[in-house]
C-alpha cells in the first residue's frame, strides 16, 4: 500500500474522533502529542462518569474500557514492553512523506484502530447485543459467571502492530500473593482470524464484539 493511500485511509478513520485527528496533525513532537491525547482521554472519561444515563449501559462500559486501553497502548511502559510505539508509527504515517524503513500498515491494522476509536467515542454499535449472562442471575451462580467474565482482565492489550496483531501483557494470578513476572505475547490478527472464519462458512457479523475484548 502506497504511503499516500495509507495516509488517506488513516485520515478517514481519524474522522471518528476529530479532536484526536487535530492533535495528531500538529507539528508538535510525539511526546507533546502523547500528553495532549492523554488529557483529551481524561476529558472523555470525566464526561462519561458525569453522564446521567444518556449513554446506553454497554456503550458506557465500552467507552470506559477503550479509553483505558488506548491510554495504556500509548504509554511509555507499553512501548517498552512491545518494543514498538503505535503513536510514533501513526505520527510517521501522517506527517512524514516516507515510512523510512517502517513496515506498511496491513488492513488488520486499520481495522483494529477503527474499532478502538469507535470504542473511545461510544460508537461501537453493539448495544443491541444481549446482556452478559451473569446479569440474569443472583447469588453464587451470578458470582461464578461474573468471575468467568472477568477472567479476560488477566491480560491487557499493550499495542497494535502494523500487521494488525495485538501485543498483550498477561498477569498471573499469583501477583495478588507475591511478586510475579508478567508475560508479553503477540496474538494473531483479529482481521485475519475473521477472514478465516468467513472462509470456513461463518458469518463475521456474528463475531463483531470480538474487537472490544482487550
Amino acid at each position: 500500500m502506497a504511503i499516500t493511500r495509507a495516509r488517506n485511509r488513516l485520515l478517514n478513520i481519524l474522522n471518528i474522533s476529530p479532536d484526536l485527528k487535530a492533535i495528531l496533525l500538529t507539528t508538535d513532537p510525539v511526546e507533546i502529542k502523547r500528553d495532549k491525547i492523554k488529557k483529551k482521554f481524561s476529558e472523555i472519561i470525566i464526561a462519561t462518569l458525569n453522564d446521567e444515563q444518556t449513554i446506553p449501559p454497554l456503550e458506557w462500559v465500552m467507552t470506559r474500557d477503550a479509553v483505558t486501553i488506548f491510554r495504556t497502548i500509548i504509554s511509555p511502559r507499553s512501548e517498552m514492553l512491545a518494543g514498538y510505539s503505535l503513536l510514533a508509527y501513526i505520527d510517521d504515517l501522517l506527517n512524514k512523506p516516507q515510512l523510512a524503513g517502517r513496515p506498511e500498515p496491513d488492513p488488520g491494522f486499520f481495522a483494529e484502530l477503527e474499532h478502538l476509536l469507535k470504542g473511545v467515542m461510544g460508537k461501537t454499535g453493539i448495544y443491541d447485543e444481549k446482556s452478559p449472562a451473569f446479569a440474569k442471575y443472583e447469588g453464587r451462580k451470578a458470582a461464578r459467571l461474573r468471575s468467568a467474565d472477568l477472567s479476560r482482565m488477566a491480560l491487557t492489550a499493550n499495542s497494535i502492530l502494523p500487521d494488525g496483531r495485538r501485543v498483550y501483557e498477561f498477569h498471573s494470578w499469583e501477583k495478588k500473593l507475591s511478586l510475579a513476572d508478567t508475560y508479553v505475547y503477540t496474538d494473531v490478527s483479529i482481521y485475519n482470524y475473521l477472514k478465516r472464519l468467513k472462509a470456513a462458512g461463518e458469518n463475521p457479523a456474528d463475531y463483531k464484539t470480538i474487537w472490544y475484548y482487550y
Side-chain angles (χ1 to χ4, degrees):
M1 179 183 293
I3 183 62
T4 300
R5 184 179 172 190
R7 183 178 188 274
N8 289 339
R9 185 167 182 183
L10 180 56
L11 287 170
N12 186 56
I13 291 173
L14 289 173
N15 285 333
I16 298 171
S17 176
D19 289 340
L20 179 61
K21 180 179 181 179
I23 292 172
L24 290 170
L25 287 175
T26 65
T27 57
D28 292 332
V30 170
E31 291 307 314
I32 299 298
K33 292 181 181 181
R34 190 196 314 274
D35 290 340
K36 289 183 177 180
I37 292 171
K38 288 167 62 178
K39 181 179 179 181
K40 174 53 61 177
F41 284 169
S42 294
E43 293 173 357
I44 292 174
I45 286 292
I46 291 172
T48 303
L49 292 174
N50 289 335
D51 179 74
E52 297 182 355
Q53 296 186 334
T54 61
I55 303 174
L58 292 182
E59 200 70 75
W60 187 93
V61 171
M62 289 296 100
T63 297
R64 181 198 62 191
D65 289 353
V67 169
T68 299
I69 288 301
F70 210 140
R71 291 184 63 168
T72 298
I73 286 175
I74 66 172
S75 71
R77 181 178 184 276
S78 289
E79 293 179 352
M80 181 272 295
L81 288 171
Y84 155 85
S85 170
L86 174 66
L87 183 57
Y89 184 71
I90 291 175
D91 188 59
D92 284 350
L93 282 176
L94 291 174
N95 301 305
K96 294 184 179 180
Q98 297 180 348
L99 279 174
R102 292 178 180 263
E104 292 185 2
D106 186 87
F109 170 83
F110 292 115
E112 280 283 1
L113 186 61
E114 179 178 358
H115 285 90
L116 184 55
L117 284 179
K118 284 181 177 179
V120 168
M121 301 307 296
K123 299 178 180 179
T124 66
I126 67 168
Y127 188 64
D128 58 344
E129 296 296 318
K130 62 182 180 180
S131 300
F134 65 83
K136 299 184 294 184
Y137 301 97
E138 297 180 355
R140 291 184 177 180
K141 186 168 185 178
R144 288 197 302 270
L145 291 171
R146 178 58 172 162
S147 177
D149 186 68
L150 288 174
S151 64
R152 67 186 180 91
M153 295 179 66
L155 58 87
T156 304
N158 282 95
S159 194
I160 301 171
L161 301 180
D163 60 6
R165 293 179 298 160
R166 294 181 183 180
V167 178
Y168 288 104
E169 181 182 14
F170 284 84
H171 303 263
S172 65
W173 65 269
E174 292 96 333
K175 74 174 187 177
K176 296 184 181 296
L177 303 175
S178 62
L179 291 176
D181 291 335
T182 58
Y183 172 67
V184 178
Y185 171 75
T186 301
D187 206 351
V188 299
S189 162
I190 291 178
Y191 177 84
N192 289 333
Y193 176 69
L194 291 177
K195 285 177 63 178
R196 284 163 48 194
L197 288 180
K198 183 177 181 180
E202 296 282 349
N203 181 4
D206 293 338
Y207 301 88
K208 65 181 181 180
T209 61
I210 193 174
W211 296 101
Y212 302 103
Y213 282 84
Y214 300 112

